[in-house]
Amino acid sequence: MQEYLSVIRRSILFRGIQEEEILAMLKCLQAHVRSYEKKDFLHRNGDCLSEMGLVLAGTIHLVKEDYWGKRTILARIPQGQIFGEVFACMGQQPLNMSIIAVEPVKVLYLDIQRVTHSCTSACDFHVRLIRNLLQALAGHALFLNQKMEYISQRTTREKLMAYLSDQALRAGSPEFQIPFNRQELADYLGIERSAMSKELSKMKQDGLIDFQKNNFWLRQ
Amino acid sequence: MQEYLSVIRRSILFRGIQEEEILAMLKCLQAHVRSYEKKDFLHRNGDCLSEMGLVLAGTIHLVKEDYWGKRTILARIPQGQIFGEVFACMGQQPLNMSIIAVEPVKVLYLDIQRVTHSCTSACDFHVRLIRNLLQALAGHALFLNQKMEYISQRTTREKLMAYLSDQALRAGSPEFQIPFNRQELADYLGIERSAMSKELSKMKQDGLIDFQKNNFWLRQ
DNA sequence: ACAAGTCTGTTGTTTTTGCAACGGAAAGGA
DNA sequence: TCCTTTCCGTTGCAAAAACAACAGACTTGT
């Protein structure tokens, strides 16, 4: 646990809380760590969560797969970010997605009940923790709004431009890397891979963008 | 304010709090009411919110409109539901949508700072309020997830079926009403109105559904 | 009751997407 | 290093969606 303390400290949930406090709180929150291998399922569609997770190492995907195996990547959760807080907060709402390790991961699990039901005054930092959780949930909704903007665009090109220009904005530069490979990007935007490749090539021809592998440039 | 107390009491935010307490809290939260006419803008793209809203009467739409006037309905907020809590929680994040009255409305505004920064022990129910707010935010994220499922379907028919079958599920009956007219439904699902009408007719022919105006039946 | 405006279904045309299949490049494992 | 697997761009074709335009039904306001 100690070795990941810097990750924990920088997470949105423990922001503004001192290291010593964090160690005390982790006990109080019944924190424990689990490890998974690449392609392992952390949780499956239909499971109920009573704990939220914080990714200590590696990256996971929240994915939804339908009967015909058509897969959509709902979100990508890299090291330092949290997941499952929504379902854990909502009580017994079963997961409507699966959670998969894209590489070997370590996850810190926290009992959400113990976060919201502030314990006996022992932990003064519970107040701060709750406020952080509130922020995290609001941020989550904002993130979903953002993604909604990409996929509610009408055409493949518009979806790509919405996503890419947003990435450029976040990177603060017209040149940036994307964290997905082509198949994953297509799944994330809810479009078809080859159609997307086709469109990307056209956009390059049209001088809108340039790219090599996962490096993209927005022109002008 | 008194006349809407029953609406307030049943809202997700004040669930589990006694009427007498509510009245006291409303003062503490600097609650105030504003009225709007049909088609009025409550807030515009780019505004910053420091307050969240609770719809006391009427219905509002959260809409996003692009340069070319292509409109998407992000959400429909009927009487009793809240809005703006995400942006109000996130501090100075500017609105990336507009909020419009679809009919005459009355809205109760609450200062979000006063919700999260629990005041001097005067209001014991702040704890409950915060927990409710947490639930509301989680529910909001869940709602977005749900909607994401509709619009990330690949075809118009699939989007319609995802939406309609979900509505039937919520109504607990294969027969139900939808709250949108055709243009609004198309905007909500991010598809084109006439293409949608075409597809609805086909689906009726194929014996999948039946409908008259806003009444729908799912067959079998 | 009438006129103006809105809502809805329909049609034909153009554009875009999905799909299946292929080959070369790149990556990973033995 | 060689072999296998994955990744990526490309193509042709069939299916679906977007678009524009229109007409009848229904609303609304005067």
Side-chain angles (χ1 to χ4, degrees):
Chain A
M1 193 94 81
Q2 284 285 7
E3 54 183 309
Y4 294 113
L5 202 53
S6 67
V7 176
I8 297 175
R9 187 163 44 87
R10 279 196 298 264
S11 74
I12 189 168
L13 203 59
F14 290 97
R15 190 166 293 167
I17 303 180
Q18 304 302 320
E19 287 209 0
E20 314 86 66
E21 252 87 23
I22 291 179
L23 284 172
M25 296 176 77
L26 289 181
K27 272 203 196 105
C28 172
L29 298 172
Q30 300 193 322
H32 55 105
V33 178
R34 281 198 213 112
S35 301
Y36 301 90
E37 292 310 312
K38 180 173 178 174
K39 295 197 178 174
D40 274 0
F41 278 73
L42 283 71
H43 307 279
R44 287 178 186 275
N45 202 335
D47 289 354
C48 280
L49 297 188
S50 66
E51 301 176 309
M52 56 178 295
L54 167 56
V55 179
L56 296 178
T59 299
I60 62 176
H61 278 178
L62 314 187
V63 308
K64 165 156 274 168
E65 226 165 329
D66 68 13
Y67 292 122
W68 300 273
K70 201 150 287 176
R71 166 174 293 193
T72 306
I73 299 180
L74 299 175
R76 175 188 181 85
I77 316 285
Q79 186 190 53
Q81 294 196 5
I82 63 177
F83 67 93
E85 76 281 11
V86 170
F87 289 90
C89 274
M90 284 299 284
Q92 291 316 310
Q93 187 80 320
L95 265 187
N96 63 350
M97 63 188 75
S98 292
I99 305 184
I100 301 180
V102 294
E103 52 194 30
V105 297
K106 283 194 190 305
V107 173
L108 179 74
Y109 284 98
L110 305 169
D111 186 330
I112 200 88
Q113 294 298 328
R114 295 184 165 248
V115 176
T116 60
H117 295 65
S118 54
C119 62
T120 60
S121 53
C123 294
D124 287 345
F125 276 86
H126 249 135
V127 175
R128 172 77 195 209
L129 189 63
I130 288 175
R131 208 166 291 161
N132 282 350
L133 181 57
L134 223 44
Q135 278 247 342
L137 281 167
H140 187 100
L142 223 49
F143 164 81
L144 288 177
N145 263 334
Q146 192 58 62
K147 183 177 171 188
M148 197 83 78
E149 236 177 286
Y150 309 148
I151 64 176
S152 62
Q153 300 294 325
R154 303 300 206 263
T155 69
T156 297
R157 174 176 295 210
E158 284 168 347
K159 288 175 196 178
L160 283 166
M161 280 309 284
Y163 174 75
L164 293 174
S165 60
D166 192 44
Q167 292 303 305
L169 220 59
R170 283 175 204 272
S173 152
E175 177 179 357
F176 55 93
Q177 291 208 16
I178 64 170
F180 295 121
N181 66 30
R182 294 295 188 273
Q183 182 64 61
E184 289 172 337
L185 179 58
D187 289 345
Y188 185 71
L189 296 177
I191 54 186
E192 206 265 343
R193 186 195 58 82
S194 78
M196 184 185 80
S197 257
K198 206 187 286 186
E199 195 60 35
L200 279 173
S201 297
K202 268 197 225 163
M203 290 162 74
K204 189 190 271 193
Q205 274 192 347
D206 295 352
L208 274 172
I209 63 172
D210 201 354
F211 57 92
Q212 272 180 31
K213 294 206 60 177
N214 291 12
N215 289 3
F216 283 77
W217 294 261
L218 291 196
R219 295 258 170 252
Q220 178 236 38
Chain B
M1 192 96 81
Q2 284 285 8
E3 56 183 308
Y4 294 113
L5 202 55
S6 68
V7 177
I8 297 175
R9 187 162 43 88
R10 279 197 298 266
S11 74
I12 188 168
L13 203 58
F14 290 97
R15 189 166 292 166
I17 303 181
Q18 306 302 320
E19 287 209 1
E20 314 87 67
E21 252 87 22
I22 291 180
L23 283 172
M25 296 175 77
L26 288 180
K27 272 203 197 107
C28 172
L29 297 172
Q30 299 194 322
H32 55 107
V33 177
R34 281 199 212 114
S35 302
Y36 301 90
E37 293 309 312
K38 180 173 178 174
K39 295 197 179 175
D40 274 0
F41 279 72
L42 282 71
H43 307 279
R44 287 179 186 275
N45 202 335
D47 289 355
C48 280
L49 297 187
S50 67
E51 300 175 310
M52 55 178 296
L54 167 55
V55 179
L56 297 177
T59 299
I60 62 176
H61 278 177
L62 314 186
V63 309
K64 165 156 272 167
E65 225 165 331
D66 67 13
Y67 293 121
W68 300 273
K70 200 149 289 176
R71 168 175 289 194
T72 306
I73 299 180
L74 299 174
R76 175 188 181 84
I77 316 285
Q79 187 191 51
Q81 293 195 8
I82 63 177
F83 67 92
E85 76 281 11
V86 171
F87 288 90
C89 272
M90 283 301 283
Q92 291 317 311
Q93 187 83 338
L95 266 187
N96 63 349
M97 63 187 73
S98 292
I99 305 185
I100 301 180
V102 293
E103 53 194 31
V105 296
K106 282 194 192 306
V107 173
L108 179 74
Y109 284 98
L110 305 169
D111 186 328
I112 198 87
Q113 294 299 328
R114 295 184 166 250
V115 176
T116 59
H117 295 64
S118 53
C119 62
T120 60
S121 54
C123 295
D124 286 344
F125 275 86
H126 249 135
V127 175
R128 173 76 194 208
L129 190 63
I130 288 175
R131 210 166 288 160
N132 282 349
L133 182 56
L134 222 44
Q135 278 245 343
L137 281 167
H140 186 100
L142 224 47
F143 163 81
L144 287 177
N145 263 332
Q146 191 57 60
K147 184 178 171 191
M148 196 83 77
E149 238 176 284
Y150 309 149
I151 63 176
S152 62
Q153 300 295 323
R154 301 299 207 265
T155 70
T156 296
R157 175 176 293 210
E158 283 168 348
K159 287 174 195 176
L160 282 166
M161 281 308 285
Y163 174 74
L164 293 175
S165 59
D166 192 44
Q167 292 303 305
L169 221 59
R170 283 173 205 274
S173 152
E175 177 178 357
F176 55 93
Q177 291 207 17
I178 64 170
F180 294 121
N181 66 29
R182 294 294 187 272
Q183 182 63 61
E184 288 172 338
L185 180 58
D187 289 345
Y188 185 71
L189 297 178
I191 54 185
E192 207 266 341
R193 185 196 59 81
S194 79
M196 185 186 78
S197 258
K198 203 187 288 185
E199 195 60 34
L200 279 173
S201 298
K202 269 196 224 163
M203 289 162 73
K204 190 190 271 193
Q205 274 192 349
D206 295 352
L208 273 172
I209 63 173
D210 202 355
F211 59 91
Q212 273 180 30
K213 293 204 62 175
N214 290 11
N215 289 2
F216 283 77
W217 293 261
L218 290 195
R219 296 257 170 253
Q220 180 237 37

